[in-house]
């Protein structure tokens, strides 16, 4: 079967996986799809499957990176310091109606290269303030949401520069379907098995209630990450506050929890490039003391990294610790995708910024003050960066000081 025939057969199955095993769309629920204009063909297919699944309404929010770049290039700073009411109301209106939010993304690591970062930071801060109720709700799983990938011409040229444009995009589609466990005869069944395995891992970790994890590898990582009391490991399917399961990322290979914001110490070295706000950061190193980054360096994009760390008081602290075996399916592809959704699922990673409230008992019901008292970090950003390596060792520390191997040689110790 050639690539065209494979895509014709598997893309509808991919759409079903996104709707049934990812966002888990509920009967009569509104579905909001954020999508690049270039993905309109797949978006139509996804819309049809959504209505067949029982969507009450499907609403689109289109975007275009090239047009966004022109806005940053030509508009003055003041245009990025406030958010028009209609723009913020879009998110808030549908969030308050209990809509599900599905975001389709494509990599473009150089989208904002050379653009004034002050404008980008100003818009990020203004937009966060304008839709804080919505973004807090996503982090607390008050409704179901999903991020998934689609090809683009820019992304395909980046990964397959020697192929004709359409051939490159088709090849990228195959890799995305493979990473998303959607090339088999029955992807829905394959996802049931995968989610069951992630559930076993997260339940094992939650039951151990480690007080800290120690990271070591030959790149120079020597990091101790404290974990709060009554923490919970998530990964794969999790429950909304309304009581139904969803899975926020496809693909996903991770189990994750929240570090204790003031108990991270040591040095960690990145192992894959990070794309942040359309800029590339490579080979960086962070030094933590009492939970805070006190030193940061990077071979490329150091200024962008330091801007990130200064976004607010919580941007220089960790909000997530995620465990993924080095020999996971995406890692075995032996490719840098330059898109965090893919790259983070090929490697253990950490995240700077906001912690997920659902990573402590009853966290979705706690106020910001109560979450801080529980040890969780608060920030307007949540930026994952990859730290997994073939020789990464992670050791769990029990309350009595007992040490338990969690990772050895980059993979689960047992």
């Amino acid at each position: 079967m050639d690539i065209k025939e494979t895509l014709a057969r598997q893309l509808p199955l991919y759409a079903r996986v996104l709707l049934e095993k990812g966002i888990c769309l509920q009967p009569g629920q509104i579905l909001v799809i954020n999508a690049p204009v270039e993905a309109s063909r797949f978006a139509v297919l996804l819309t049809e499957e959504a209505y067949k699944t029982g969507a009450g309404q499907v609403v689109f929010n289109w975007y275009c990176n090239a047009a966004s770049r022109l806005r940053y290039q030509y508009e003055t700073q003041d245009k990025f310091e406030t958010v028009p009411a209609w723009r913020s109301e879009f998110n808030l209106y549908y969030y308050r109606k209990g809509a599900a939010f599905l975001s389709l993304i494509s990599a473009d690591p150089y989208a904002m290269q050379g653009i004034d970062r002050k404008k980008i930071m100003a818009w990020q801060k203004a937009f966060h303030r304008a839709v804080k109720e919505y973004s807090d709700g996503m982090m607390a799983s008050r409704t179901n949401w999903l991020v998934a990938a689609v090809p683009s011409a820019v992304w395909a040229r980046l990964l397959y520069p020697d192929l004709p444009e359409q051939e490159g995009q088709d090849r990228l589609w195959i890799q995305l379907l493979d990473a998303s466990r959607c090339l088999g005869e029955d992807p829905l069944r394959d996802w049931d098995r995968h989610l069951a395995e992630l559930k076993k891992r997260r339940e094992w970790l939650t039951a151990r209630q480690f007080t800290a994890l120690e990271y070591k590898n030959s790149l120079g990582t020597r990091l101790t990450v404290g974990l709060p009391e009554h923490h919970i490991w998530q990964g794969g399917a999790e429950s909304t506050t309304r009581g139904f399961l969803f899975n926020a990322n496809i693909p996903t290979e991770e189990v994750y929890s929240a570090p204790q914001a003031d108990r991270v110490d040591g040095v960690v070295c990145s192992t894959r490039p990070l794309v942040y706000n359309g800029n590339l950061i490579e080979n960086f190193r962070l030094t933590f003391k009492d939970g805070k980054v006190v030193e940061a360096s990077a071979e490329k994009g150091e200024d962008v990294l330091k801007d990130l760390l200064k976004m607010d008081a919580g941007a220089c602290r960790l909000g997530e610790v995620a465990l993924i075996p080095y020999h996971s399916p995406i890692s075995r592809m032996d490719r840098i995708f330059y898109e965090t959704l893919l790259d983070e699922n090929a490697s253990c990673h950490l995240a700077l910024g906001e912690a997920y409230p659902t990573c402590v008992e009853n966290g979705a019901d706690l106020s910001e003050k109560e979450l801080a008292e529980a040890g969780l970090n608060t920030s307007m950003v949540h930026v994952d960066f990859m730290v997994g390596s073939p020789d990464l060792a992670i050791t769990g520390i029990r309350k009595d000081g007992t040490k338990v191997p969690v990772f050895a040689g980059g993979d689960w110790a047992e």
Side-chain angles (χ1 to χ4, degrees):
M1 184 178 296
D2 65 18
I3 286 183
K4 295 292 185 184
E5 291 174 331
T6 299
L7 293 179
R9 185 187 68 184
Q10 301 302 129
L11 284 179
L13 292 173
Y14 181 54
R16 287 188 62 195
V17 165
L18 299 188
L19 294 166
E20 296 180 32
K21 301 302 176 183
I23 206 162
C24 298
L25 192 67
Q26 301 298 294
Q29 191 175 25
I30 299 170
L31 176 63
V32 177
I33 300 177
N34 301 300
V37 291
E38 199 172 349
S40 60
R41 189 171 179 180
F42 177 70
V44 170
L45 188 158
L46 183 62
T47 299
E48 183 176 6
E49 291 295 332
Y51 282 123
K52 288 178 179 178
T53 301
Q57 184 180 20
V58 180
V59 181
F60 275 89
N61 180 32
W62 299 100
Y63 67 89
C64 172
N65 284 339
S68 295
R69 180 182 174 86
L70 290 171
R71 181 179 174 231
Y72 283 108
Q73 186 175 344
Y74 287 101
E75 294 184 18
T76 54
Q77 174 78 21
D78 60 293
K79 304 298 191 300
F80 300 95
E81 293 173 350
T82 57
V83 177
W86 65 266
R87 187 176 288 273
S88 57
E89 185 61 25
F90 178 90
N91 295 74
L92 294 172
Y93 174 83
Y94 287 109
Y95 169 70
R96 290 166 182 166
K97 281 186 166 291
F101 290 81
L102 194 162
S103 295
L104 299 175
I105 59 173
S106 292
D108 191 350
Y110 305 105
M112 297 299 161
Q113 188 176 41
I115 293 295
D116 185 350
R117 294 196 305 276
K118 291 180 181 178
K119 293 180 181 179
I120 297 173
M121 292 173 68
W123 180 253
Q124 190 172 3
K125 291 178 179 180
F127 194 77
H128 176 78
R129 287 193 299 268
V131 298
K132 190 173 186 304
E133 177 188 344
Y134 158 81
S135 58
D136 285 353
M138 297 297 104
M139 294 295 289
S141 298
R142 293 194 177 97
T143 193
N144 40 336
W145 57 279
L146 171 67
V147 180
V150 289
S152 68
V154 170
W155 196 4
R157 281 196 300 271
L158 178 68
L159 298 185
Y160 304 105
D162 298 327
L163 293 181
E165 183 174 294
Q166 189 57 55
E167 187 177 342
Q169 290 193 60
D170 289 347
R171 186 76 61 86
L172 180 52
W173 255 129
I174 293 296
Q175 287 215 292
L176 294 180
L177 292 174
D178 191 14
S180 302
R181 299 172 185 266
C182 288
L183 278 183
E185 292 292 327
D186 192 346
L188 295 173
R189 182 187 60 192
D190 293 341
W191 268 95
D192 285 338
R193 292 171 177 167
H194 180 48
L195 293 173
E197 180 62 26
L198 291 176
K199 182 180 180 182
K200 283 169 51 180
R201 293 291 185 187
R202 70 175 188 257
E203 288 179 346
W204 183 87
L205 285 161
T206 299
R208 296 302 175 277
Q209 283 297 294
F210 294 123
T211 62
L213 297 177
E214 293 180 343
Y215 288 65
K216 293 181 181 179
N217 69 13
S218 60
L219 295 172
T221 291
R222 295 290 186 276
L223 187 73
T224 300
V225 179
L227 298 171
E229 290 187 6
H230 310 300
H231 66 272
I232 296 170
W233 286 85
Q234 301 283 5
E238 65 177 283
S239 179
T240 69
T241 53
R242 287 183 286 167
F244 55 84
L245 296 176
F246 76 104
N247 168 32
N249 286 173
I250 287 182
T252 187
E253 303 290 334
E254 69 179 304
V255 291
Y256 65 93
S257 193
Q260 186 163 330
D262 60 355
R263 288 205 304 121
V264 180
D265 293 278
V267 176
V268 65
C269 302
S270 70
T271 55
R272 285 180 172 239
L274 168 64
V275 179
Y276 176 65
N277 280 345
N279 287 275
L280 195 62
I281 308 170
E282 292 186 284
N283 298 324
F284 59 95
R285 178 185 177 100
L286 302 175
T287 301
F288 289 84
K289 182 175 175 54
D290 297 328
K292 184 177 180 179
V293 176
V294 294
E295 187 177 338
S297 61
E299 288 184 10
K300 184 174 184 178
E302 184 171 309
D303 290 344
V304 178
L305 175 62
K306 291 182 175 178
D307 282 346
L308 163 61
L309 294 168
K310 294 185 291 186
M311 282 296 293
D312 59 22
C316 59
R317 297 181 184 272
L318 292 184
E320 181 185 352
V321 51
L323 305 182
I324 296 168
Y326 183 80
H327 294 96
S328 65
I330 300 174
S331 182
R332 290 194 192 101
M333 293 180 183
D334 195 27
R335 175 178 290 282
I336 303 296
F337 283 94
Y338 298 97
E339 169 51 61
T340 298
L341 175 65
L342 277 296
D343 290 332
E344 73 169 1
N345 281 296
S347 168
C348 283
H349 57 270
L350 303 167
L352 293 162
E354 182 90 350
Y356 289 101
T358 54
C359 288
V360 291
E361 289 182 10
N362 304 313
D365 298 323
L366 300 180
S367 65
E368 279 193 14
K369 180 180 179 181
E370 290 169 328
L371 287 169
E373 290 171 350
L376 272 62
N377 192 36
T378 300
S379 174
M380 72 174 66
V381 300
H382 179 94
V383 180
D384 299 284
F385 63 97
M386 286 58 78
V387 300
S389 66
D391 64 344
L392 179 64
I394 303 176
T395 302
I397 312 298
R398 302 290 298 271
K399 288 182 180 179
D400 62 3
T402 304
K403 295 191 174 184
V404 179
V406 177
F407 264 54
D411 292 332
W412 292 104
E414 59 179 58

